[in-house]
Amino acid sequence: MPNIIVNGIGTIGKRVAEAIKKQPDMELMGIADVAPNTELITIKKNFLEETPVYASTEKGVEKIEEAGIKVEGKLKDVISEVDLVVDATPSGIDMKNKENLYEPNNVKAVFQGGSDSEIAPVSFNAEANFEDAKGKDFVRVVSCNTTSLCRTLKTVDENFEIEKVTANLVRRGGDPKQDSRGPINSIIPVTHVPSHHGPDVQEVMPYIDITTLAVKVPTTLSHVHMVTVELKEDKITSEDAIKAFQKDSRINLLSAEDGFNSTAKVMEKMRDMHRERNDMNEVGVWKETVTVDNGKLYWIHMTHQESIVIPDNIDAIRAMLDMENKETSIKKTNKALGI
Amino acid sequence: MPNIIVNGIGTIGKRVAEAIKKQPDMELMGIADVAPNTELITIKKNFLEETPVYASTEKGVEKIEEAGIKVEGKLKDVISEVDLVVDATPSGIDMKNKENLYEPNNVKAVFQGGSDSEIAPVSFNAEANFEDAKGKDFVRVVSCNTTSLCRTLKTVDENFEIEKVTANLVRRGGDPKQDSRGPINSIIPVTHVPSHHGPDVQEVMPYIDITTLAVKVPTTLSHVHMVTVELKEDKITSEDAIKAFQKDSRINLLSAEDGFNSTAKVMEKMRDMHRERNDMNEVGVWKETVTVDNGKLYWIHMTHQESIVIPDNIDAIRAMLDMENKETSIKKTNKALGI
């Protein structure tokens, strides 16, 4: 089984590490960070007792051991035994890691959507371009917003043909734990049109003509997108579109009529389902909003920013190590993560 | 084993039902409600597949079955087979249930803190007055705010003697799911001093001289209390107080220095521990705030409003049915709930 290390244990890294642990066909060889943080300490003590912890800097060993966590060694000393690193370090650090650690040691790496797209030759979404990542050394899993756009647009494009997309993004201010971020009581527009999300979708699906606009609002639970797709044919109905979304294993059709009429109510369902951390790995499309009118398809979806990219990180590993084809990898990941 | 039904499946009811299911010495005979709601449907489908659902009104049968949930019958038709009902219905409804359903059928009932204290002869907190509930027919588990005050004050009073308490409560506006409640961007004082919490503590511990003041703020994660206790002796140190809190199994000492410096950061730890629904059944006392100065003991604690009363509901059942003494009941409950 391939040996995987997760470098950078924050919002994404902690989830990817636990997700790798659940896969039957890969080994979580270790987790690494520059210093201890509350998240690393909590998951190490509760779920990864047996998983070695590595320090990613010289000073890291001492810092992490001071927090009562045994350090197995330095990441650079074991890097040659590793088949692949999932790098979830902050943007900028990841590029240095690539140049100083992964490239010199011939180790493959998955990067995250916060990095510049130039960090890897492939920007990745499992459903949209799994094959592009096959055998590659470096792959970047696109951000949460881009992931939800890729998933839904891939489904629409496969079933009906897309002429043009306009997506208006209402972004959460921060994650639940990031309680010193703004905005508080204000809405902040991204003043550059298009926002970076449209071009980022095109890194994955260059054939999609898309323009995105974005604002940031005072909420922590999820992003919400309002999407308009101009279709090439005008015979499609909203029922056709709902059926197409329904078939996608990583899209949840949400029903406002059934009581799930806000991001908070949907998150409460995740809590009631005892989903770990109340995560929702799926894109949530509100069924009632899926509307076709005069050749245009409209819908609203929500994107749980902390967890939506986790399955795609796992599928990226399988693609890069040539372990499975797209369908089998997605099925395996879904099964292991309870999707 | 005693047969228990939970009537009213909302924030408290759903958690109590699942908690009863986990106890080795009582049987969850069923859950009941007037109509289906998203929470009832979700827990029934995910964890209580085998648990019968009863309708608590005539029209309820049809309404619940319309939502695709099989109804076993009407609550009133099986009430005579029940040993105890945990009533988590809204205040007012619970009183009608007592008069029309529980009293005529000689069925014991646990009520919740939202009810008037007159609904039951005993207002209950497991640590403060377990014995008062022994063998009683009706008991009211006090509210989340009162529960956290009772737990911490009982500990302080047992270890040191209390002269006088002043507690200032900063209350959350609503639960995470209650997204149409206020306040938004405002702070609302309770203009009656004392707020109802002080007198409610005295329902449990009549010997405590306590005054409470309260405000409501725009947050959903937890209440926070700032407590001042005038002590009878002046030789106590903050270390003594910290040690006393540490010994209580239902108090978590939180350390801001370790990174848990806000309600959001503490809730993130509950998520990282995969606590169901990220609940925290314990009172969280910030260690650094426990301070003794000039005969006064100060501290700040947080109260997870949705889950803090769940263990006390379970202990109330054991007390009322004379199943165990206080220490054994608390240990059993803690073990089953992972406290």
Side-chain angles (χ1 to χ4, degrees):
Chain A
M1 282 206 290
N3 283 325
I4 321 284
I5 279 187
V6 178
N7 188 12
I9 302 300
T11 300
I12 301 298
K14 67 186 179 186
R15 289 176 165 85
V16 173
E18 293 178 14
I20 291 171
K21 194 98 202 286
K22 291 178 182 163
Q23 308 304 316
D25 56 351
M26 51 188 84
E27 179 72 26
L28 181 64
M29 186 185 147
I31 55 176
D33 213 315
V34 293
N37 62 57
T38 54
E39 295 162 281
L40 186 150
I41 294 169
T42 305
I43 67 166
K44 169 69 181 160
K45 286 189 180 163
N46 286 280
F47 310 106
L48 306 179
E49 296 96 333
E50 308 298 319
T51 304
V53 174
Y54 297 99
S56 50
T57 58
E58 294 292 326
K59 284 180 187 162
V61 180
E62 202 179 323
K63 280 192 209 164
I64 298 172
E65 295 222 312
E66 267 171 22
I69 302 287
K70 187 176 171 265
V71 176
E72 204 72 16
K74 286 171 209 149
L75 179 57
K76 71 178 175 61
D77 296 334
V78 291
I79 193 77
S80 57
E81 299 163 36
V82 179
D83 295 295
L84 186 150
V85 174
V86 177
D87 188 304
T89 63
S91 177
I93 309 288
D94 49 7
M95 185 60 102
K96 285 185 191 156
N97 290 340
K98 184 190 174 192
E99 289 166 0
N100 303 329
L101 201 61
Y102 312 144
E103 276 182 333
N105 289 288
N106 287 316
V107 172
K108 291 177 187 249
V110 174
F111 299 101
Q112 305 303 316
S115 334
D116 195 287
S117 67
E118 283 168 20
I119 202 167
V122 175
S123 285
F124 179 85
N125 171 267
E127 284 164 283
N129 70 338
F130 186 93
E131 286 77 14
D132 294 352
K134 287 210 123 183
K136 289 284 187 305
D137 288 336
F138 299 111
V139 164
R140 167 179 166 266
V141 172
V142 291
S143 74
C144 48
N145 280 306
T146 308
T147 296
S148 66
L149 286 170
C150 288
R151 276 194 203 159
T152 49
L153 292 175
K154 177 70 181 176
T155 294
V156 172
D157 195 53
E158 255 178 9
N159 287 275
F160 326 106
E161 261 185 297
I162 291 179
E163 178 85 34
K164 164 77 189 169
V165 179
T166 312
N168 294 328
L169 282 56
V170 181
R171 293 159 58 209
R172 63 86 178 101
D175 294 337
K177 65 177 179 180
Q178 295 173 316
D179 53 6
S180 52
R181 279 175 70 147
I184 171 171
N185 201 34
S186 182
I187 301 176
I188 304 173
V190 174
T191 50
H192 185 269
V193 176
S195 69
H196 72 273
H197 310 89
D200 208 28
V201 168
Q202 291 174 320
E203 292 283 337
V204 180
M205 296 191 283
Y207 48 88
I208 299 280
D209 179 5
I210 178 169
T211 305
T212 52
L213 290 84
V215 299
K216 202 151 81 165
V217 301
T219 176
T220 63
L221 298 179
S222 277
H223 306 291
V224 168
H225 300 178
M226 294 170 278
V227 188
T228 303
V229 176
E230 297 171 35
L231 299 164
K232 283 197 181 142
E233 3 166 14
D234 60 359
K235 287 178 200 149
I236 289 129
T237 67
S238 51
E239 287 71 34
D240 297 332
I242 289 172
K243 267 185 208 157
F245 284 141
Q246 215 145 24
K247 276 189 212 150
D248 189 310
S249 63
R250 291 183 180 169
I251 294 177
N252 266 350
L253 275 174
L254 309 170
S255 168
E257 202 198 350
D258 288 349
F260 303 106
N261 57 4
S262 69
T263 56
K265 306 278 173 54
V266 174
M267 282 293 112
E268 187 73 4
K269 181 171 183 179
M270 297 304 117
R271 300 178 79 199
D272 285 342
M273 290 174 73
H274 300 186
R275 287 269 189 115
E276 287 168 7
R277 298 188 176 85
N278 46 272
D279 283 353
M280 185 166 82
N281 296 123
E282 302 92 338
V283 191
V285 175
W286 273 286
K287 200 168 63 182
E288 291 91 343
T289 66
V290 181
T291 304
V292 176
D293 185 43
N294 214 3
K296 288 200 176 86
L297 167 61
Y298 306 89
W299 75 85
I300 301 178
H301 68 233
M302 67 180 272
T303 303
H304 184 232
Q305 74 278 359
E306 298 169 286
S307 68
I308 191 173
V309 301
I310 308 309
D312 297 274
N313 269 270
I314 302 295
D315 294 324
I317 296 171
R318 289 211 189 86
M320 294 163 73
L321 297 173
D322 261 326
M323 294 165 67
E324 298 288 0
N325 66 24
K326 174 178 158 181
E327 284 66 34
T328 314
S329 178
I330 288 180
K331 262 191 202 158
K332 276 195 172 180
T333 306
N334 287 356
K335 192 180 169 202
L337 299 184
I339 293 174
Chain B
M1 284 205 289
N3 283 326
I4 321 285
I5 279 186
V6 179
N7 188 12
I9 301 300
T11 299
I12 301 299
K14 67 186 179 186
R15 287 176 168 85
V16 172
E18 292 179 13
I20 291 169
K21 193 99 203 282
K22 290 179 183 163
Q23 308 304 316
D25 56 351
M26 51 188 83
E27 180 73 27
L28 180 63
M29 186 184 148
I31 55 176
D33 212 315
V34 292
N37 62 57
T38 55
E39 295 162 281
L40 185 150
I41 294 170
T42 304
I43 68 167
K44 170 68 181 161
K45 285 190 181 164
N46 286 280
F47 309 107
L48 306 180
E49 295 95 333
E50 309 298 318
T51 304
V53 174
Y54 297 99
S56 51
T57 58
E58 295 291 327
K59 286 181 188 162
V61 181
E62 202 178 325
K63 280 192 207 165
I64 298 172
E65 296 221 311
E66 267 171 21
I69 302 286
K70 185 176 172 266
V71 175
E72 204 72 18
K74 285 174 209 146
L75 180 58
K76 70 180 178 55
D77 296 334
V78 291
I79 193 77
S80 58
E81 300 161 38
V82 179
D83 296 294
L84 186 149
V85 174
V86 177
D87 188 303
T89 63
S91 177
I93 308 289
D94 49 7
M95 186 59 102
K96 285 186 192 157
N97 289 339
K98 182 188 176 193
E99 290 165 1
N100 303 330
L101 200 60
Y102 312 143
E103 277 182 333
N105 289 288
N106 286 317
V107 171
K108 292 179 187 247
V110 175
F111 298 101
Q112 305 303 315
S115 334
D116 197 286
S117 67
E118 283 168 21
I119 201 166
V122 175
S123 285
F124 179 85
N125 170 267
E127 285 165 282
N129 70 337
F130 186 94
E131 286 76 14
D132 293 353
K134 287 210 122 184
K136 290 286 187 305
D137 288 335
F138 299 111
V139 164
R140 166 179 168 266
V141 172
V142 290
S143 73
C144 48
N145 279 306
T146 308
T147 296
S148 66
L149 286 168
C150 287
R151 276 195 203 158
T152 49
L153 293 174
K154 177 70 181 176
T155 294
V156 172
D157 195 54
E158 253 178 11
N159 287 275
F160 328 107
E161 261 184 297
I162 291 179
E163 179 83 36
K164 164 79 190 166
V165 179
T166 312
N168 295 328
L169 281 58
V170 182
R171 292 160 60 210
R172 62 86 178 102
D175 294 337
K177 66 177 177 178
Q178 294 172 318
D179 53 6
S180 52
R181 278 175 68 146
I184 171 169
N185 201 33
S186 183
I187 300 175
I188 305 172
V190 174
T191 50
H192 185 267
V193 176
S195 69
H196 73 271
H197 310 90
D200 207 28
V201 168
Q202 291 173 320
E203 293 283 338
V204 180
M205 297 191 283
Y207 48 88
I208 299 280
D209 179 4
I210 178 169
T211 305
T212 51
L213 290 84
V215 298
K216 201 151 81 164
V217 301
T219 176
T220 62
L221 298 178
S222 278
H223 307 291
V224 167
H225 300 177
M226 293 171 277
V227 189
T228 303
V229 176
E230 296 172 35
L231 299 164
K232 282 195 182 146
E233 357 166 19
D234 60 0
K235 286 178 200 149
I236 288 128
T237 66
S238 51
E239 287 71 35
D240 297 332
I242 288 173
K243 267 184 207 156
F245 284 141
Q246 215 145 25
K247 276 188 212 148
D248 189 309
S249 64
R250 291 183 180 170
I251 294 178
N252 266 350
L253 275 174
L254 308 170
S255 169
E257 203 197 348
D258 288 348
F260 303 107
N261 57 4
S262 70
T263 56
K265 305 279 174 55
V266 174
M267 282 294 113
E268 186 73 4
K269 183 172 181 177
M270 297 303 117
R271 300 178 79 200
D272 284 342
M273 290 174 72
H274 300 184
R275 288 270 189 113
E276 286 167 8
R277 297 187 176 85
N278 46 272
D279 282 353
M280 185 165 85
N281 296 123
E282 304 92 337
V283 190
V285 175
W286 274 286
K287 200 169 65 183
E288 290 92 341
T289 67
V290 181
T291 304
V292 177
D293 184 44
N294 215 2
K296 288 200 176 88
L297 167 60
Y298 307 88
W299 75 85
I300 301 178
H301 68 233
M302 67 180 271
T303 304
H304 185 232
Q305 75 278 359
E306 299 170 284
S307 68
I308 192 172
V309 301
I310 308 307
D312 297 274
N313 268 272
I314 301 295
D315 294 324
I317 296 171
R318 289 212 188 84
M320 293 162 73
L321 297 173
D322 260 327
M323 294 166 66
E324 300 287 358
N325 66 24
K326 172 178 159 181
E327 283 67 32
T328 313
S329 179
I330 288 181
K331 262 190 205 162
K332 276 195 173 180
T333 306
N334 287 356
K335 194 181 167 200
L337 299 184
I339 293 175

